[in-house]
Amino acid sequence: VRDRNPTGLVVTPPVCDVPGVIEALDAENIAYTTVTPADESCGCAAVTVDGHQAGYELTEYLISLGHRRIAFIKGAPSHRDAVKRYEGYLAALRDHDIKLDRALVARGQFSFDSGQRAAQNLLSKSERPTAIFAANDDMAAGVLYEAHQMGIRVPDELSVAGFDDSPLAQRVWPSLTTVKQPIREMAEVAVRELITSARHDSSSVRQRRVMQIDYELIVRQSTSAPGAPSDS
């Protein structure tokens, strides 16, 4: 930052959740905006989506299809928004009187391989889940791959959902039901805040409120009612 003397920075996860980084930027009086930070009350400008509500809505959608054994693959614990997605999943189960089965909760790291490993564990159980909600699309793609390897038909025998609506979500087969995070719009809002601050006092950007961007539930071919034949 000292070498390049930027007008401002857009700080994304996981960097925006490292206290030393934020403290250093504050000490240098550098304007910055954060994207989905763990602490939205830090007083700096933050661009985010409601990960809790999005996780809730996707879980509730799976419940509306008739699923009751819904597994969840967590993301990296350092990623606060991934934690919020899990909390939304828990809240939806609770509100629909579905008891949490901790055997259906697996740890992931946002990677394809971690999704595949989690799926191996979940799908090898004597009473396996009828649906798996992975905290991002890469892990959901790993679930699809492992299900195909095990001869489990998606969505006839297993519904799979992800999060982000990355390009991968439409390239895998079957295409993924997921939550669309408007990444482009979030970046535009973050940069616009920096431009605004550059026209005024450089510290003004840190006094702005949290800007929450709408998400969208995208329903595709990877989900259906449990045991329902797909149209494909």
Side-chain angles (χ1 to χ4, degrees):
V1 168
R2 289 193 185 112
D3 289 344
R4 300 186 181 222
N5 192 30
T7 301
L9 295 174
V10 176
V11 191
T12 60
V15 178
C16 65
D17 295 331
V18 179
V21 172
I22 299 303
E23 290 168 7
L25 293 175
D26 285 339
E28 295 291 329
N29 198 32
I30 300 294
Y32 61 88
T33 54
T34 58
V35 178
T36 61
D39 182 9
E40 295 176 2
S41 63
C42 63
C44 60
V47 183
T48 186
V49 297
D50 191 338
H52 181 283
Q53 185 58 33
Y56 185 102
E57 187 173 331
L58 181 47
T59 305
E60 190 170 57
Y61 170 70
L62 294 172
I63 293 170
S64 75
L65 293 175
H67 295 281
R68 291 298 180 269
R69 289 188 59 77
I70 303 171
F72 189 92
I73 303 177
K74 296 181 176 181
S78 59
H79 192 303
R80 176 58 184 160
D81 198 53
V83 175
K84 291 180 181 178
R85 297 168 198 175
Y86 176 60
E87 291 172 347
Y89 158 82
L90 294 177
L93 294 184
R94 183 173 59 251
D95 288 353
H96 289 271
D97 297 320
I98 299 174
K99 185 178 179 181
L100 172 66
D101 183 348
R102 296 195 179 276
L104 296 182
V105 178
R107 170 67 63 196
Q109 289 293 330
F110 282 141
S111 66
F112 179 96
D113 289 345
S114 70
Q116 184 184 353
R117 288 192 298 271
Q120 286 174 347
N121 176 270
L122 291 168
L123 298 176
S124 295
K125 297 183 181 301
S126 56
E127 191 176 358
R128 67 191 188 208
T130 63
I132 297 178
F133 174 5
N136 80 335
D137 292 338
D138 281 357
M139 292 193 298
V143 174
L144 288 178
Y145 178 85
E146 187 60 27
H148 293 325
Q149 290 289 99
M150 297 176 72
I152 298 171
R153 294 174 297 163
V154 178
D156 300 7
E157 299 174 281
L158 175 71
S159 286
V160 180
F163 202 103
D164 287 334
D165 196 32
S166 64
L168 179 65
Q170 295 187 62
R171 292 173 182 166
V172 295
W173 180 85
S175 57
L176 277 173
T177 291
T178 186
V179 171
K180 181 175 183 176
Q181 283 204 100
I183 302 298
R184 181 186 180 93
E185 183 181 353
M186 293 169 74
E188 288 176 353
V189 170
V191 174
R192 196 175 297 120
E193 286 296 302
L194 289 173
I195 293 171
T196 299
S197 72
R199 292 172 179 163
H200 301 91
D201 181 84
S202 63
S203 64
S204 65
V205 70
R206 293 200 290 271
Q207 305 305 316
R208 298 180 183 275
R209 61 182 177 81
V210 174
M211 293 152 287
Q212 197 167 89
I213 309 299
D214 290 338
Y215 64 86
E216 182 182 0
L217 175 61
I218 305 292
V219 176
R220 295 197 179 99
Q221 296 170 309
S222 66
T223 52
S224 70
S230 64
D231 295 332
S232 58

